[in-house]
Amino acid sequence: MNRRTPVDTDVNDPPRSIGGRLTDQLRTEITRGDFVPGARISIKELSERLGVSLSPLREALTRLGSEGLLASDEQRGFWISPVSAADLVEVTRLRVSFERMALQEAILNGGIEWETRVMAALYRMNRIDRRPGDLASKEAWEDAHRTFHVELLSACGMPLLLQFITTLHGLSDRYRRIFLASNPPDKATAREHERIAEAAVLRRSDEAVELLGKHIERTGNAVRKRLMAADPTDEA
């Protein structure tokens, strides 16, 4: 890690605001693969790189531990959660189950405002040209992709379910970005998103739910193949 990205630490900011921004920044770095899975976190080095005190940093690390991105114990401190085929399979299965449920509810509850947000998010995502080697365009697409999936389920009316899904999506994104980093989204992926959105806003619930489940499974299987190729001894 040689990237210096200090966090704004204005003395007038409340501590939890600093902790929240730290959590967001570190979540992004872990998800995009800046840290090696299983690597131990040096809190001192991290606090120096980010230019923050230990208290909000520990708060951020604890939050990320609750999301499954970090592991910890009293003796070893914090370390990046390892990756495994078994863990990926579990995350994928849970995403399929929870997101299908959420989409079904969103289709029942969502109005024209929800339809507009979904289609706007789809349009924005499809307008971004993710160019090889261009970090800015890559991150812009990732942000738009995350927003699309959030908006798709946003009208489900079940905050606790959405909270679980957000955590699972972060874990899934980490695997996808680590093991499919060299594979930009193709036309097939874009078409999957379009078909899911179209079926959802036209209230074709069974079709939309089925398409979303297959989309998540296909991505999970592609990541799993790459993971297994990288470590043939890892079996789900």
Side-chain angles (χ1 to χ4, degrees):
M1 292 285 300
N2 56 12
R3 186 184 294 108
R4 288 191 57 83
T5 51
V7 173
D8 179 9
T9 55
D10 191 308
V11 294
N12 294 317
D13 286 343
R16 290 194 61 82
S17 175
I18 296 172
R21 290 202 303 277
L22 277 170
T23 302
D24 291 342
Q25 178 171 336
L26 289 173
R27 183 190 297 111
T28 297
E29 292 183 4
I30 294 170
T31 300
R32 72 186 175 203
D34 289 1
F35 294 89
V36 176
R40 184 177 177 277
I41 296 292
S42 170
I43 296 179
K44 182 176 182 296
E45 291 178 3
L46 198 57
S47 69
E48 291 175 354
R49 174 170 74 84
L50 298 174
V52 296
S53 62
L54 295 180
S55 180
L57 180 56
R58 288 185 181 276
E59 176 188 335
L61 295 175
T62 299
R63 290 185 189 179
L64 294 171
S66 71
E67 296 177 14
L69 293 172
L70 294 176
S72 66
D73 64 33
E74 293 183 0
Q75 287 72 36
R76 297 177 58 193
F78 293 91
W79 64 95
I80 305 298
S81 293
V83 296
S84 72
D87 179 63
L88 174 60
V89 168
E90 181 179 5
V91 169
T92 302
R93 289 183 64 185
L94 288 171
R95 275 197 67 194
V96 169
S97 178
F98 286 177
E99 292 190 37
R100 282 169 57 101
M101 182 192 308
L103 181 56
Q104 192 168 41
E105 292 298 318
I107 292 171
L108 287 174
N109 298 329
I112 190 170
E113 294 84 3
W114 168 71
E115 294 175 9
T116 302
R117 294 197 308 270
V118 170
M119 299 311 293
L122 176 69
Y123 178 80
R124 175 178 172 236
M125 179 173 56
N126 286 344
R127 290 285 292 175
I128 296 171
D129 179 18
R130 180 175 157 178
R131 298 176 295 277
D134 183 345
L135 181 60
S137 66
K138 179 180 178 181
E139 291 305 314
W141 186 89
E142 290 291 346
D143 179 68
H145 177 248
R146 183 166 48 253
T147 299
F148 170 73
H149 279 275
V150 167
E151 294 294 3
L152 187 66
L153 309 178
S154 62
C156 81
M158 303 173 73
L160 188 57
L161 177 59
L162 290 178
Q163 181 179 332
F164 292 151
I165 289 171
T166 297
T167 297
L168 290 168
H169 204 271
L171 296 173
S172 177
D173 263 0
R174 176 177 174 237
Y175 277 98
R176 178 179 56 80
R177 298 190 68 176
I178 290 174
F179 293 99
L180 295 182
S182 60
N183 288 49
D186 54 19
K187 292 182 179 180
T189 300
R191 182 55 185 151
E192 285 180 4
H193 288 139
E194 291 167 0
R195 292 178 64 199
I196 293 166
E198 179 182 351
V201 299
L202 292 178
R203 314 297 166 152
R204 300 199 297 260
S205 181
D206 290 346
E207 179 185 350
V209 165
E210 183 69 16
L211 287 170
L212 178 61
K214 289 182 177 179
H215 170 67
I216 296 169
E217 287 177 342
R218 185 183 73 82
T219 302
N221 288 335
V223 175
R224 183 172 177 271
K225 288 179 181 178
R226 288 297 184 93
L227 190 158
M228 296 293 289
D231 183 5
T233 64
D234 187 3
E235 297 182 359

